[in-house]
Amino acid sequence: KVKAQLEEKEGKTFDVFTAVEFKTQVVAGTNYFIKVHVGNDEFMHLRVFRSLPQENKPLSLHSYQSSKAKHDELAFF
């Protein structure tokens, strides 16, 4: 659901977009920190926000970190 948002921010498309790890943080909603394989040996870390159910808002890409490797630790950011 956030692939298109990331592609728009990066100005490119990703043929590969596979989540390989995630962590959650409960706030006024939930932050998902997701390590995504985007092809070759490239990975990105995404911070995706899901609002509370009663707010009825779509998932949103809050921020991301590019140029990550498979072994890089997924940390809150």
Side-chain angles (χ1 to χ4, degrees), residues 2-63:
V2 297
K3 180 182 178 193
Q5 294 175 49
L6 180 62
E7 288 175 338
E8 184 178 325
K9 288 179 187 259
E10 280 287 292
K12 62 183 177 181
T13 58
F14 297 103
D15 294 331
V16 177
F17 197 81
T18 308
V20 295
E21 181 183 349
F22 78 96
K23 295 180 178 182
T24 60
Q25 177 186 44
V26 177
V27 289
T30 305
N31 283 322
Y32 292 90
F33 297 87
I34 308 166
K35 182 185 291 188
V36 178
H37 179 225
V38 293
N40 300 320
D41 292 330
E42 292 184 57
F43 290 78
M44 298 183 90
H45 293 182
L46 312 182
R47 180 176 170 185
V48 177
F49 179 71
R50 171 175 270 154
S51 63
L52 295 171
Q54 63 268 25
E55 293 179 5
N56 198 27
K57 293 181 181 176
L59 289 175
S60 64
L61 177 63
H62 183 274
S63 56

